[in-house]
Structures are given as C-alpha cells and as structure tokens.
Amino acid sequence: MAYDLITMGRIGVDLYPLQTGVPLAQVSSFGKFLGGSATNVAVAAARLGRNTAVITRTGQDAFGAYLHEALRDFGVDDRWVTAVPGLNTPVTFCEVFPPDDFPLYFYRQPKAPDLEIDAHDLDLDAVRDARIFWVTGTGLSEEPSRTATLAALAHRAKAGTTVFDLDWRPMFWSDPDAARPFYTEALKHTTVAVGNLDEVEVATGVREPQAAAQALLDAGVEIAVVKQGPKGVLAVNRDGAFAEVPPLPVNVLNGLGAGDAFGGSLCHGLLEGWDLEKIMRHANAAGAIVASRLECSSAMPTGEEITAALAAGAVL
C-alpha cells in the first residue's frame, strides 16, 4: 500500500499553558498534546482525509506510549515510530502571549530520540512509493538522523513529490554556520521547498522573497514556497506559475502549529492537483484556523472548516 504522505522528523509532547498572557513561572495548569512539526503535518493531512504515516522515534517511556496512542487516534500510521532505550521522549513548553509572542522551550537533552533515526532501519521502498515524502531541516542537525534523511531523499530520487520543510531551529545545531551545505544537498533531491524568510536565508543566503524563491528553484526544486509573515505567502513554480496570497484575517490565540497546518493542507492541495493559488489560499486558511486555537495537533482543521473560513473571508 502506497501512502499519500510519509513524514520524517520530530515528535514529542507539547505541554501548553491553559492560561494566556502568563509567564511560564506563573502558569498553574497545562494541557498535554502530541507535538513535533513533521508529526503535526501528518496529523493535519490525515484530518483532510489523507492516508499518512510518520517515521520518527520516541523514548521508551510513558510519554512515548502516549504518542503512539495519540497518533492512532488521529489516524496516522505509527508502524515506523520506534523507541530508543535510555533516552527520554522530548517535552516542549510554550508561553502564550497573543497575538505574536509564543516563546518555545525545548527539552531534548541529552539527545532527542527522533535524531536517532538510522538509515539501516528505513523502509526505503515505502519512502519511494509514497505520493508525497516530507523531511525537515531539524533532521539534518545531527547524526544518524542526518545520514538517514539524506539517504531517504537519495533513494526516493524525486519520485512523486518530495517536500523539504526548511524548519530552521538554530538551538538544534552545535554549529549553526555548518547547516547550509546539508541544506544544499537536501535541496538537490527536493521538488517542493517551504520556509519562512529566516529559513530561506539559511538555505540559500538570500532573504528577499522573490530572489530567495528563485534561489530555491536554482538549487533544484520545482516549487518554492516562501512565507512572508504579515505579507502572506509567495509560491513560484519552475513552469512560471506564480501566486502571492495575503494571510486570512484571524484573532490569534497561539501561532504555534499554524505552519504545520499549512504544510498538511499544502500536501492535500498538491495531491488534489489544484493550481498554485488555490493551494496557497487553502494552506493559509488552515494555518489561520490553528492560530485561532490553543493547541496544535488536535486543532488541525477539517476540509469543511477550511472551506467555511475561505467563504467568510476570515476565521470567525
């Protein structure tokens, strides 16, 4: 069975404060949620009816067991989610200061299990056969995950659609300046690259949106997607198609997870064969809906919710 989407990368437990506008030191209660960008993208696409799976690793602990349960509840295949003895499942805390301040605190020491993905353990046939394969920049930050990510990309050899989420997290790199060569190598095997202005600058050395999109195309991708924050999103196809879509108006509660909803909807639109502007409008709406909610994974919207937001012209 070929999957609509296989993602590979980060997983963990998100502990989000149930009070907004309160520093972490003063928060009295938290909600527990499935987290991790690659995992959330698989959840977002599953919410839209796609057959998805994730390749990642957890600790051999109670939080790891919780993540398996949550994945199954969301309809994401967990067969390639394995435990690493001796390492803890990562936990991430955040502070929620709407509309635009959401500090993250990652607890991934001494090492996150999702960076222990080994190339020898990959089901490369499944990776090759998936209609879309999604990898992240975080997966390039340490070995053996770096070699596994590049091996999966090389084996896939641009079969179907291969998405590289640039996912730049400087705190995950012992030497952030060393990242670009690995990003360059990954882009050679990529058909779609997605990133914000900071991320495209890390990948290409260019920050101006249109120039950065062109640099991503020059690096080998077919579609470059550049997120511009309040200015919306720019998407450019090698065939000349172009779309620049403004954000959907929304009262932001928690901006975390919006990018993952965008990613899941992006994959859905690519699988549907929509034109570039429609894909971006739906992905923007999906992200806006999640930004209006506290949580990430359980906040991923249905197709009906996205359609309603687009019809209303805002997230109500």
Side-chain angles (χ1 to χ4, degrees), residues 166-187:
L166 302 179
D167 185 39
W168 171 243
R169 307 278 182 173
M171 71 285 290
F172 293 167
W173 292 77
S174 57
D175 180 8
D177 293 336
R180 186 169 298 157
F182 301 116
Y183 275 66
T184 299
E185 182 62 27
L187 286 168

Side-chain angles (χ1 to χ4, degrees), residues 13 16 53 55 58 64 76 89 91 104 106-107 111 115 132 154 173 203 205 216 231 234 236 244 258 268 289 309:
V13 175
Y16 282 3
I55 301 170
T58 70
V76 177
T89 297
V91 175
L104 277 171
F106 292 98
Y107 289 77
K111 188 177 186 180
L115 294 174
I132 297 181
W173 292 77
L216 290 169
K231 291 185 64 179
L234 167 70
V236 183
E244 191 161 18
H268 177 67
I289 290 168

Side-chain angles (χ1 to χ4, degrees), residues 132 134 158 160-166 187 189-195 200 204 209 212-227 233-243 262 266-267 269-271 273-277 279-280:
I132 297 181
W134 177 289
K158 292 191 176 182
T161 298
T162 303
V163 183
F164 180 21
D165 174 7
L166 302 179
L187 286 168
H189 306 289
T190 298
T191 60
V192 181
V194 183
V200 297
T204 67
Q214 186 58 54
L216 290 169
L217 296 177
D218 293 343
V221 310
E222 300 297 321
I223 300 175
V225 180
V226 181
K227 300 174 184 178
V233 61
L234 167 70
V236 183
N237 193 315
R238 182 179 295 280
D239 66 10
F242 174 95
F262 181 100
L266 167 68
C267 292
L270 290 168
L271 290 166
W274 293 341
D275 65 66
L276 206 54
E277 181 168 341
I279 292 172
M280 293 303 113

Side-chain angles (χ1 to χ4, degrees), residues 192-213:
V192 181
V194 183
N196 61 31
L197 295 177
D198 290 338
E199 292 166 336
V200 297
E201 185 175 19
V202 168
T204 67
V206 181
R207 187 174 183 87
E208 193 280 323
Q210 294 195 23

Side-chain angles (χ1 to χ4, degrees), residues 66-77:
Y66 160 72
L67 294 176
H68 278 278
E69 293 174 5
L71 285 168
R72 291 192 289 266
D73 287 345
F74 286 127
V76 177
D77 196 321

